[in-house]
Amino acid sequence: MDKEISELSSSDQRVKLFDKVVTLSDIKQHRLAIPKFQAQTHFPLPDASTSKGSLLRMQDNEGKLWRFRFIFWKSYQGYVLTSEWNQFVRDKGLSVGDAVSFYRSTAPDMQLYIEYTLQAARDATSNSEVLEQTPDVQEFKLFGVMINCNLNQ
């Protein structure tokens, strides 16, 4: 897995854990589904004997602290973030297709961070990239990713 380290200050660095694209069910069901592998790899797993789960404290792009309840949702058979997730979506203006990224501090406290990128911002970045095209290459966008297809193959 690609470990991206970002510089914050001379003493605080972050390791990128993973990205998650926000889905319609993440918004409508007021919870963020975390891929099982990512949940089991990067977050302290909640106690299976209680339905209350555990509390994960994360700091966002603007420095605001959020407390998300991290639980194993039996009906979904997966891990989800609840509690303040709905407020996070409203405050940040998130919609389907936007992305949230999770980071962990390399400092001993191992602070968790949540950042977000609106789809419009990602699209503007990808649209500003100029790709060389020839008559034999067709370009299209699939799931927000630019794809080049050679028509002579």
Side-chain angles (χ1 to χ4, degrees):
M1 179 158 129
D2 182 27
K3 293 283 187 184
E4 177 182 310
I5 298 180
S6 59
E7 289 284 336
L8 296 178
S9 69
S10 60
S11 64
D12 191 14
Q13 290 185 338
R14 298 179 190 179
V15 175
K16 187 170 191 176
L17 303 177
F18 64 97
D19 297 315
K20 167 73 166 71
V21 175
V22 177
T23 65
L24 183 60
S25 62
D26 291 330
I27 292 174
K28 285 193 170 200
Q29 294 183 11
H30 308 292
R31 53 86 179 136
L32 178 67
I34 303 294
K36 194 176 279 191
F37 175 79
Q38 303 298 353
Q40 293 173 337
T41 303
H42 301 297
F43 296 150
L45 296 180
D47 185 358
S49 65
T50 178
S51 61
K52 291 183 180 182
S54 58
L55 202 59
L56 297 181
R57 291 175 179 83
M58 298 184 192
Q59 187 174 337
D60 69 14
N61 305 38
E62 291 84 33
K64 182 176 179 180
L65 288 175
W66 296 88
R67 294 173 307 194
F68 299 108
R69 179 119 355 243
F70 179 56
I71 61 171
F72 183 79
W73 198 358
K74 290 179 184 177
S75 63
Y76 168 69
Q77 286 297 301
Y79 297 94
V80 296
L81 293 180
T82 62
S83 294
E84 293 186 358
W85 169 249
N86 195 38
Q87 185 64 41
F88 183 83
V89 168
R90 282 196 311 268
D91 282 6
K92 306 308 179 187
L94 296 182
S95 60
V96 174
D98 294 340
V100 290
S101 301
F102 295 92
Y103 296 83
R104 181 180 306 279
S105 170
T106 58
D109 67 355
M110 298 178 67
Q111 168 70 44
L112 290 171
Y113 297 90
I114 183 170
E115 295 187 358
Y116 63 96
T117 307
L118 302 180
Q119 184 174 6
R122 287 197 325 271
D123 288 347
T125 301
S126 67
N127 289 340
S128 67
E129 297 172 3
V130 178
L131 297 176
E132 186 177 320
Q133 294 185 13
T134 65
D136 298 335
V137 176
Q138 182 178 15
E139 180 181 309
F140 60 95
K141 194 176 237 183
L142 178 65
F143 302 113
V145 176
M146 295 305 294
I147 307 291
N148 290 317
C149 178
N150 189 339
L151 299 175
N152 288 332
Q153 290 184 348

